[in-house]
Amino acid sequence: MPEIIVKFEEKVIEKFITEKKRVTIGRTPDNDIVLDNRGVSRRHAQIEFGENQAIIIDNESLNGTFVNSRRVNEEILKPEDQITIGKYSLIYHPDLSKTGSPFEMDGTMVLQTKRQRELLKKDSRDKEMMSKAGTSLLLAEMGTEVEQYPIDRDVITIGKSSLSNIKAKGLLISGIQAKISREPDGYWIVNIGKRGKTKVNGQAIDQKLLKNDDIIEVGKSIFRFLENR
């Protein structure tokens, strides 16, 4: 059964487990998941569950629905995706067994929080960069030679060797430490060099399906992943 973990200010406030085919999210008590905040519309969004997938749909909300920091209208959810609605974060687990006026017509207040402004600004900036590049990107955060790297082929290698597509820094990393491969279900990062030297969001990995806005560390080089869709 799917599970949705609801967080407010990084604190878990609810674990929602369901067998329903549709789950509604909003401010009013008639929703399945109630988010009591004026930045949340009465019927803000819904998640529809099919046999092998779940889709989140924004109901034309005033303040928007974000998946992994990207504003979406409709999005197929992946395991561990983070949905941001107002001041709340919802973490999606597909299988619990495996792991003019400041008001809208429904009374929703336009958010003026710093977090909301930053999300909207970053979402717009990221989409503009990907539109110009025409492909997914790795953005340089630290310890890199250029500001952005297009993922414009099926396999991109990362390491300290001059033969790597992306040069990373660090004395203890391998010549080719990691690779990013484009597969039917998305982009996978695979550690192919020394163990523990490839991390995603601070956790060492052997391989992992990447999500938009993931932070990748290879040695002392840090990148942010932007997935073009």
Side-chain angles (χ1 to χ4, degrees):
M1 291 183 291
E3 177 189 52
I4 299 169
I5 297 176
V6 183
K7 293 183 177 182
F8 180 78
E9 295 181 347
E10 298 304 315
K11 296 180 180 179
V12 176
I13 61 173
E14 182 180 1
K15 292 184 178 181
F16 182 83
I17 303 169
T18 184
E19 292 182 335
K20 297 177 67 173
K21 294 298 184 183
R22 175 182 295 173
V23 171
T24 60
I25 306 168
R27 192 178 70 245
T28 54
D30 57 331
N31 288 281
D32 298 302
I33 298 177
V34 179
L35 305 179
D36 186 15
N37 180 266
R38 292 299 295 275
V40 179
S41 298
R42 291 178 179 176
R43 288 278 184 171
H44 196 103
Q46 63 193 44
I47 300 176
E48 296 188 354
F49 297 96
E51 185 175 348
N52 297 310
Q53 67 180 20
I55 299 175
I56 186 163
I57 301 169
D58 179 77
N59 293 329
E60 298 183 355
S61 64
L62 182 62
N63 291 303
T65 299
F66 297 79
V67 176
N68 302 324
S69 302
R70 172 186 291 160
R71 189 169 187 170
V72 300
N73 295 318
E74 185 172 318
E75 182 85 356
I76 296 175
L77 294 173
K78 297 177 182 177
E80 311 299 323
D81 271 353
Q82 178 170 294
I83 304 160
T84 303
I85 295 177
K87 295 183 178 180
Y88 293 86
S89 297
L90 292 77
I91 311 300
Y92 168 67
H93 298 282
D95 190 344
L96 183 59
S97 66
K98 296 179 181 180
T99 60
S101 160
F103 295 93
E104 195 183 15
M105 288 186 66
D106 74 349
T108 304
M109 181 179 291
V110 179
L111 281 178
Q112 295 297 327
T113 64
K114 180 180 178 182
R115 181 189 184 195
Q116 183 75 5
R117 291 195 299 269
E118 288 176 346
L119 272 175
L120 289 168
K121 185 177 180 180
K122 184 162 76 69
D123 178 64
S124 177
R125 185 175 63 247
D126 290 351
K127 286 179 177 176
E128 182 179 354
M129 284 189 291
M130 285 186 291
S131 177
K132 289 181 178 179
T135 186
S136 298
L137 295 170
L138 288 184
L139 297 185
E141 297 286 329
M142 182 183 297
T144 60
E145 295 180 344
V146 299
E147 293 184 356
Q148 60 180 250
Y149 300 88
I151 306 177
D152 54 2
R153 60 190 75 184
D154 289 337
V155 177
I156 295 288
T157 57
I158 308 172
K160 66 180 181 181
S161 168
S162 59
L163 298 177
S164 296
N165 301 123
I166 298 175
K167 190 75 175 295
K169 297 182 179 180
L171 294 175
L172 300 180
I173 66 173
S174 301
I176 298 179
Q177 179 64 45
K179 68 175 182 179
I180 296 175
S181 61
R182 181 164 46 200
E183 304 293 343
D185 57 346
Y187 291 88
W188 284 83
I189 185 167
V190 181
N191 185 76
I192 56 178
K194 294 181 180 177
R195 292 184 62 85
K197 297 301 180 182
T198 303
K199 299 179 180 179
V200 177
N201 301 326
Q203 299 294 318
I205 59 97
D206 291 320
Q207 61 178 4
K208 186 174 178 61
L209 180 63
L210 290 170
K211 304 188 300 292
N212 185 67
D213 217 40
D214 275 347
I215 299 297
I216 299 168
E217 298 176 53
V218 179
K220 294 184 178 180
S221 298
I222 301 176
F223 312 87
R224 183 162 68 92
F225 173 67
L226 295 184
E227 185 176 13
N228 188 34
R229 293 188 177 181

